[in-house]
Amino acid sequence: MTYAQAAATYQRNAILTASPEKLVKLLYDGAIRNLEKAKAGLADARTARSPEVGQTLSRAMGILGELRASLDHAAGGNVARDLDRLYEFGLDQLSQSNLTRNTEGVGNTLRVMRTLKEGWDGIIPG
């Protein structure tokens, strides 16, 4: 087994055994990682229109969509409503960045996601 295969197996097992709260943190990590990559790609004129940048934006949008779809509005009340609005804002910003190929919307979404992740880190240790 190669190092890459072992790392992939470890990551897959970490996801399969994670609590719902830990999964949210993993999703935030994934969104932030993809947003940082997309922002760097958009900032460079040589890569701004590349398929790779489009793919990273698409992955980030998929994660935000998953986070949004997983909200329990009945149990979450105002918190779920507010998170829904933040995710919707992020999706809109990423769509705009994808169309215009500039970093503004990605940067706005990145700030929101980092703030939400900090909140989760304060609630859920490790």
Side-chain angles (χ1 to χ4, degrees):
M1 179 180 285
T2 68
Y3 174 77
Q5 291 170 322
T9 299
Y10 174 80
Q11 185 176 22
R12 188 172 35 259
N13 288 339
I15 291 168
L16 292 174
T17 60
S19 68
E21 296 84 5
K22 179 69 174 169
L23 285 175
V24 170
K25 287 177 66 168
L26 291 171
L27 288 170
Y28 282 151
D29 286 337
I32 290 167
R33 190 172 45 256
N34 280 288
L35 290 167
E36 288 170 343
K37 214 167 153 184
K39 188 175 180 185
L42 289 170
D44 185 338
R46 295 170 297 168
T47 57
R49 299 207 171 273
S50 71
E52 292 79 18
V53 170
Q55 290 168 346
T56 57
L57 283 169
S58 180
R59 280 188 214 109
M61 291 173 79
I63 292 169
L64 263 69
E66 189 62 38
L67 286 164
R68 192 173 183 205
S70 70
L71 292 172
D72 184 343
H73 289 274
N78 290 339
V79 172
R81 186 193 71 228
D82 292 344
L83 284 170
D84 186 62
R85 288 179 180 162
L86 288 170
Y87 297 148
E88 182 179 15
F89 168 79
L91 288 166
D92 181 59
Q93 291 292 297
L94 295 179
S95 293
Q96 291 302 314
S97 277
N98 195 29
L99 289 172
T100 62
R101 290 299 170 146
N102 72 48
T103 62
E104 183 180 354
V106 174
N108 292 338
T109 305
L110 197 47
R111 281 189 290 282
V112 168
M113 296 307 291
R114 284 181 176 148
T115 301
L116 291 172
K117 171 97 173 45
E118 286 174 18
W120 274 94
D121 287 345
I123 298 169
I124 310 297

